[in-house]
């Protein structure tokens, strides 16, 4: 059992919190109130960032001291929305939210994952007809091992998980969000994930 705090009570945060609780972990969810977030983060071994990506850096930087020595699982994408409210461009071109978080939180072990799929797939990858892929980016091997175990608890098989390397590789997976509006307009709001076939 791992003590986990999920920051964000939207569809993503709620789904992850429910699934991790069902897997036997001690999970708390936190909204936007700074005091509540600080208390929850301080008592967690793993913190999941499921806050809106365009405000994540500011929110989490304010929790720098409370996030010290924790594993931060970043599942958000930082984008500028288009006229339809869908991702239109990257907020940090030439970089990534995960990199910015790691720079701002040097004593926190940031791992990027689960950001290349529609949110229902995060907690139920077997719902897809094909074999999905999920990626890891981060500097700390132990932190990535912990996140691998959590992904397994969410139904991700070992062979579906690809460790891309350091946190800089997160800029590649975050850029994948630019596919999303085109897929939604073409296929509708249908669960999907990227898949690497070899």
């Amino acid at each position: 059992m791992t003590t986990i705090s999920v920051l964000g009570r939207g569809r993503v945060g709620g789904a992850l919190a429910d699934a991790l609780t069902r897997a036997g972990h001690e999970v708390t969810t936190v909204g936007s109130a700074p005091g509540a977030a600080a208390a929850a983060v301080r008592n967690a071994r793993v913190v999941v960032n499921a806050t809106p990506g365009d405000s994540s850096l500011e929110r989490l930087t304010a929790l720098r001291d409370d996030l010290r020595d924790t594993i931060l699982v970043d599942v958000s994408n930082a984008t500028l929305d288009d006229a339809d409210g869908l991702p239109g461009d990257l907020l940090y071109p030439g970089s990534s939210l995960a990199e910015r978080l790691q720079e701002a939180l040097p004593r926190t072990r940031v791992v990027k994952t689960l950001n290349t799929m529609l949110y229902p797939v995060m907690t139920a990858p077997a719902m897809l007809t094909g074999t999905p892929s999920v990626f890891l980016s981060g500097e700390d091997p132990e932190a990535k091992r912990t996140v691998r175990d959590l992904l397994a608890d969410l139904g991700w098989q070992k062979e579906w998980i690809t460790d891309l390397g350091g946190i800089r590789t997160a800029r590649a997976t975050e850029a994948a969000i630019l596919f999303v509006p085109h897929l939604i307009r073409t296929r509708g709001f249908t669960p999907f994930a990227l898949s690497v076939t070899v």
Side-chain angles (χ1 to χ4, degrees):
M1 182 190 73
T2 302
T3 304
I4 301 170
S5 179
V6 178
L7 300 181
R9 287 182 169 154
R11 292 177 296 185
V12 174
L16 287 169
D18 288 346
L20 290 167
T21 299
R22 288 194 302 271
H25 299 287
E26 183 180 331
V27 181
T28 58
T29 58
V30 187
S32 58
V41 163
R42 199 175 302 126
N43 296 319
R45 179 175 176 234
V46 174
V47 175
V48 178
N49 175 38
T51 65
D54 60 353
S55 60
S56 289
L57 184 59
E58 180 181 0
R59 289 171 189 256
L60 273 72
T61 299
L63 298 170
R64 181 188 291 111
D65 292 339
D66 302 296
L67 286 165
R68 183 179 298 224
D69 300 324
T70 63
I71 298 170
L72 177 63
V73 182
D74 179 32
V75 305
S76 294
N77 289 304
T79 61
L80 301 169
D81 290 346
D82 63 16
D84 297 326
L86 296 171
D89 208 348
L90 300 176
L91 185 58
Y92 305 116
S95 183
S96 65
L97 172 59
E99 289 174 89
R100 297 293 182 97
L101 288 170
Q102 188 62 86
E103 290 167 7
L105 307 167
R107 297 293 302 274
T108 302
R109 295 172 289 167
V110 179
V111 180
K112 188 80 181 191
T113 193
L114 289 173
N115 63 309
T116 56
M117 62 203 68
L118 207 58
Y119 79 91
V121 182
M122 293 178 176
T123 58
M127 71 172 10
L128 300 178
T129 56
T131 300
S133 298
V134 66
F135 306 98
L136 296 173
S137 299
E139 301 297 332
D140 188 283
E142 181 185 350
K144 286 196 277 191
R145 281 193 293 273
T146 297
V147 175
R148 277 181 177 272
D149 290 343
L150 294 177
L151 290 173
D153 289 341
L154 294 174
W156 289 91
Q157 297 183 26
K158 180 180 179 181
E159 60 271 20
W160 298 352
I161 304 170
T162 299
D163 186 342
L164 296 177
I167 200 67
R168 191 175 188 274
T169 63
R171 65 181 63 179
T173 60
E174 288 191 24
I177 191 66
L178 299 181
F179 280 106
V180 171
H182 309 297
L183 288 172
I184 289 175
R185 289 185 182 106
T186 302
R187 296 176 174 263
F189 202 73
T190 304
F192 68 85
L194 295 186
S195 179
V196 176
T197 304
V198 295

